[in-house]
Amino acid sequence: MSSLILPAILSGLTMGAIYALIALGLTLIYGVLHIINFAHGSLLMLALYAAYFLFLYGGVDPYLAIPILLPVFFCLGYVLQRWLIAPMSGGSEQNVLLVTLALALIIDNLALYFWTSNTRSVDIPYAYNTVEFLGAYLPLGRVIAFFAALAAAPLLWLFMARTRTGSAIRAVAIEKRGAEIVGIDVNHTYAICFGIGTACVSLAACLLLPTFYVTPQVGYTFVLVAFTTVVLGGMGSLPGALIAGLLLGVIESLCGLFLGESLGQIGIFIAFILILLFKPSGLLGRRAS
Amino acid sequence: MTYTLNRRSLLRASGAAALVGGLSMPSILRAQGQTVKIGVLEPLTGNLAYNGTQCAAGAKFAADAINAAGGIKSMGGAQIELVVVDAQSRPEIAASAVDTLAEAGVCAFTGASASALGLASSQAAAKYDLAQVFSIGTAETIVERGLPNVFRFTPGVNKCTSVALENLKLLNAAAGSPVKTAAIVHEDGPFGSNMAKIMAEKLPEQGIEVVETISHPTPHRDFNNIALRVKASGANILIPSNYLNEYTLMARALRQQRAELMAIYSILGGAASNIKFVRENNDVAQYVMDCNHWYDPNKPESQALAASVAEAGLDLTYDVMVSYATIQVIADALERGASTDRKAMIEALAASTFDGSIMPYGPTKFVNGDNVNSQPVNTQIRGDKIELVFPKEYATAEPVFPVPREG
């Protein structure tokens, strides 16, 4: 068993990178908009289908689909927030929960209706390629996702810290009324933020597709662990989401190895409870004032 | 398709003939316009939606074929009308959906893709004296409750496992008994856990030591650790019992972790007898063997079904096959009983000796609701096809065991 510990840790890190990628968009949307986006898993599913159909009908490799799907899903997120979620919720956070939940149900059932419950996956030439590292064989797709997550989190953080749009988003997150007074278009900024969060989901989908499958229910496979990642990392914290995702991946992998795969998720939730008990704001979250 | 002619059906047929002959043309028109309702209770949404949708398609192909061949002849060519309801992959919905079927006036129904759903629906159907002919329901509890309305046409887990073990013994012996050790990977629900338990007890009797048993939840996202453990165990063969998505991820991880196995030998494998798995994972799917439900590919009805399924752009899975066959069984009971009365249907099904289904079974014989003449068969993925390799009388290819070494 001891010879399996290092491969299990490395495998956990690469799986955790996927969790982090999915959680990045979620934490951004929560951090700024204070929206707990129940439709996040459904949007992930939608992006997976988009990448799948690009591959199926256009022969577009899932990785090459990234520059196509990022703007498409940014626009989708922008439109959803600007012209659906915001007007329907009327500024109430409880209403937002219901609207995103309704959105999830609609997207899931439309997917089921149009694309049926068939499980689909892409047959790509490098599907079984691995990278050998310290004696462990790591699936190439997961290694790519790992480095993509390592790059995406700091890039997104830089965008938020160094650009005018990022500053506007942070301003709206901290003091909405004040931002309005200094001339920031709050509704536009909210929509941009939701758009970026949705674009992050499409990035995660393109990186996930080479190693996973697509069904109308696939979002639920990841959404719970993504919510856990966000809370563990600190709501709204991009570096926190990255660290928490990687941590959860390793914890899940090691618990699976030592306690059995059926009990692997216990580790995730034990870590979650411990963090909530001893550091309720999450690993890198700001303490509530 | 053959039908048994008994005294009752002869009298009814004579009576019907007298009516037809003695009365006027409108009577004939009324008889020709008659329909009989058969229920199809399947999970069309939720986790089991793929299987349920496939089963519903199989039932429709069967109804279409029977109607095209003249319908239920003993009932004046009555056409079969399917009443399809969604069990939503939830046992409580499966139970309440039976009320819908009863209100719709079905004479019997087929379903429900998973044991948990079928257990709930058949229990609910018992109060209506409504027969359920199980499409798929491997849990033995289904036929152990003493319900007179339960008819399981396909084999249960005990028979599937014992036949699979017997066939594995034959395969191993024919190859010079190279397989000494096995690893079992199973989903942690009743289906996989029961199977794993039986295998762990029975394999040592064949001289095969179980060196690793790994359970996993459904859904499960990562099979790398499982592949690593299988590889580290040094098992000669892997015996998996899990569903399509997990099976696919597992097969990929085994390849990525370079697990060298003499065979992957599934029992009721979720993907191993699924053409989608073959199409989308052709490389890792090669030589995977399964002991599962499958039709007799040599029968003309089977070939016609395969053509219809291909024309409809669907996958020919065992769900389609068994559901097709259960409608055949119900149609035969209607033909013999010439009645849509629910109790009469139960009697007709209980007395069924139907041997015209597309499955490779002997004449139907329900003992406590279990068709004792059903049997699973062994399939093997070869190229882009799923070949039937055991028993020999139905085989379309010779089995390859153990799998050839790469390179």
Side-chain angles (χ1 to χ4, degrees):
Chain A
M1 188 69 89
S2 59
S3 65
L4 301 182
I5 293 174
L6 182 63
I9 290 173
L10 294 172
S11 176
L13 281 172
T14 58
M15 197 67 213
I18 302 276
Y19 299 159
L21 278 166
I22 297 168
L24 279 179
L26 198 61
T27 202
L28 188 65
I29 290 169
Y30 179 80
V32 176
L33 307 180
H34 305 294
I35 288 177
I36 297 176
N37 182 15
F38 281 125
H40 201 69
S42 307
L43 290 169
L44 173 70
M45 176 268 292
L46 211 55
L48 278 163
Y49 270 108
Y52 172 79
F53 285 123
L54 276 175
F55 175 82
L56 188 68
Y57 296 117
V60 181
D61 186 277
Y63 297 122
L64 297 177
I66 292 172
I68 302 169
L69 291 187
L70 276 178
V72 170
F73 273 77
F74 171 81
C75 294
L76 175 68
Y78 187 98
V79 168
L80 283 176
Q81 167 60 26
R82 188 84 195 247
W83 288 292
L84 190 80
I85 297 172
M88 286 186 75
S89 62
S92 154
E93 287 187 9
Q94 289 90 333
N95 287 358
V96 170
L97 285 183
L98 292 174
V99 172
T100 57
L101 188 61
L103 196 61
L105 289 172
I106 291 167
I107 293 172
D108 291 352
N109 283 288
L110 284 177
L112 198 58
Y113 180 78
F114 286 111
W115 302 321
T116 74
S117 54
N118 271 2
T119 298
R120 299 155 202 255
S121 56
V122 292
D123 189 9
I124 42 179
Y126 51 85
Y128 310 115
N129 288 7
T130 51
V131 176
E132 194 175 352
F133 181 66
L134 299 175
Y137 296 109
L138 301 168
L140 177 64
R142 298 256 294 268
V143 173
I144 292 171
F146 175 76
F147 285 108
L150 287 189
L155 280 176
L156 207 53
W157 182 82
L158 274 175
F159 171 80
M160 295 292 285
R162 300 291 166 86
T163 65
R164 284 181 67 82
T165 311
S167 301
I169 290 173
R170 283 186 294 122
V172 169
I174 295 165
E175 180 50 62
K176 185 179 161 188
R177 180 64 60 84
E180 239 170 353
I181 290 168
V182 297
I184 295 173
D185 182 344
V186 171
N187 288 337
H188 174 68
T189 308
Y190 269 34
I192 283 183
C193 188
F194 203 93
I196 294 170
T198 312
C200 286
V201 169
S202 72
L203 174 68
C206 292
L207 294 163
L208 181 61
L209 187 62
T211 57
F212 215 72
Y213 55 82
V214 197
T215 70
Q217 291 88 27
V218 72
Y220 295 106
T221 311
F222 289 95
V223 78
L224 188 62
V225 76
F227 272 113
T228 312
T229 306
V230 168
V231 177
L232 189 60
M235 287 186 167
S237 169
L238 296 170
L242 177 65
I243 293 167
L246 297 176
L247 190 63
L248 288 181
V250 172
I251 289 172
E252 184 183 38
S253 183
L254 288 178
C255 285
L257 190 66
F258 289 110
L259 304 177
E261 295 298 324
S262 295
L263 299 176
Q265 294 215 353
I266 280 182
I268 289 183
F269 294 107
I270 288 175
F272 183 62
I273 290 167
L274 288 176
I275 288 288
L276 286 184
L277 276 175
F278 297 108
K279 200 169 185 313
S281 56
L283 291 173
L284 299 182
R286 280 193 300 271
R287 194 179 294 275
S289 53
Chain B
M1 196 184 297
T2 60
Y3 299 105
T4 307
L5 187 68
N6 56 25
R7 189 175 58 86
R8 183 186 291 176
S9 59
L10 185 65
L11 282 171
R12 281 189 178 148
S14 307
L19 273 172
V20 168
L23 300 177
S24 57
M25 194 65 174
S27 303
I28 300 170
L29 292 175
R30 272 202 300 276
Q32 282 180 337
Q34 189 184 348
T35 60
V36 288
K37 290 181 179 174
I38 298 175
V40 178
L41 194 160
E42 293 290 352
L44 306 176
T45 55
N47 283 338
L48 294 162
Y50 177 72
N51 302 82
T53 312
Q54 289 288 100
C55 276
K60 187 178 180 308
F61 286 124
D64 288 348
I66 293 164
N67 288 342
I72 308 297
K73 295 179 185 67
S74 69
M75 299 175 74
Q79 297 285 290
I80 291 173
E81 180 187 330
L82 296 180
V83 179
V84 184
V85 289
D86 182 8
Q88 296 181 24
S89 306
R90 292 161 57 191
E92 71 277 16
I93 303 292
S96 62
V98 172
D99 298 334
T100 311
L101 290 176
E103 282 168 23
V106 302
C107 61
F109 69 100
T110 178
S113 281
S115 298
L117 302 179
L119 281 164
S121 61
S122 53
Q123 193 81 39
K127 70 183 179 207
Y128 292 108
D129 290 323
L130 184 57
Q132 173 170 1
V133 182
F134 278 72
S135 51
I136 294 168
T138 51
E140 295 304 337
T141 328
I142 288 168
V143 290
E144 288 171 354
R145 294 169 299 165
L147 293 178
N149 65 317
V150 166
F151 298 94
R152 184 170 69 181
F153 182 59
T154 49
V157 66
N158 286 353
K159 185 178 281 183
C160 288
T161 311
S162 62
V163 170
L165 282 166
E166 189 56 37
N167 290 351
L168 176 61
K169 190 176 171 182
L170 293 171
L171 285 164
N172 199 25
S177 300
V179 173
K180 309 284 183 203
T181 56
I184 299 170
V185 174
H186 65 94
E187 62 92 34
D188 57 10
F191 153 61
S193 300
N194 289 340
M195 187 86 70
K197 193 178 163 201
I198 298 169
M199 297 304 284
E201 284 169 7
K202 302 283 183 189
L203 278 171
E205 293 170 13
Q206 292 192 12
I208 297 174
E209 184 193 354
V210 178
V211 290
E212 185 68 279
T213 303
I214 308 166
S215 69
H216 65 78
T218 304
H220 192 52
R221 294 178 287 262
D222 185 10
F223 275 83
N224 265 345
N225 280 353
I226 291 175
L228 285 167
R229 283 176 63 183
V230 169
K231 184 183 174 186
S233 74
N236 297 137
I237 61 165
L238 172 65
I239 302 180
S241 290
N242 43 21
Y243 298 108
L244 174 65
N245 296 339
E246 284 67 36
Y247 199 108
T248 304
L249 294 179
M250 179 192 69
R252 286 180 171 193
L254 286 167
R255 168 62 64 91
Q256 286 163 339
Q257 296 305 329
R258 294 161 172 74
E260 289 184 1
L261 296 160
M262 288 184 187
I264 298 180
Y265 189 87
S266 315
I267 302 170
L268 299 168
S273 293
N274 190 316
I275 199 68
K276 260 179 67 59
F277 173 66
V278 180
R279 197 168 52 234
E280 293 177 353
N281 303 275
N282 192 264
D283 209 19
V284 292
Q286 292 309 306
Y287 302 109
V288 165
M289 203 175 273
D290 192 21
C291 187
N292 213 324
H293 314 290
W294 203 254
Y295 68 178
D296 176 355
N298 302 311
K299 288 188 176 178
E301 292 93 338
S302 302
Q303 287 158 7
L305 172 63
S308 301
V309 170
E311 196 181 338
L314 294 174
D315 293 324
L316 182 60
T317 60
Y318 62 76
D319 312 273
V320 175
M321 299 168 189
V322 295
S323 192
Y324 186 102
T326 52
I327 295 292
Q328 286 184 305
V329 172
I330 294 171
D332 170 70
L334 279 166
E335 196 70 74
R336 285 182 295 105
S339 167
T340 56
D341 178 74
R342 289 171 187 164
K343 283 190 175 168
M345 276 301 289
I346 289 177
E347 282 173 25
L349 283 164
S352 177
T353 54
F354 181 53
D355 65 354
S357 89
I358 59 169
M359 303 304 282
Y361 302 167
T364 308
K365 185 181 177 189
F366 288 111
V367 176
N368 298 323
D370 197 14
N371 179 15
V372 294
N373 286 334
S374 64
Q375 64 167 345
V377 297
N378 273 43
T379 59
Q380 189 170 35
I381 297 168
R382 305 276 281 278
D384 58 357
K385 285 184 182 169
I386 297 172
E387 302 283 6
L388 200 161
V389 292
F390 251 76
K392 276 195 181 302
E393 61 260 44
Y394 306 112
T396 53
E398 287 289 321
V400 175
F401 186 95
V403 300
R405 290 257 174 199
E406 281 187 49

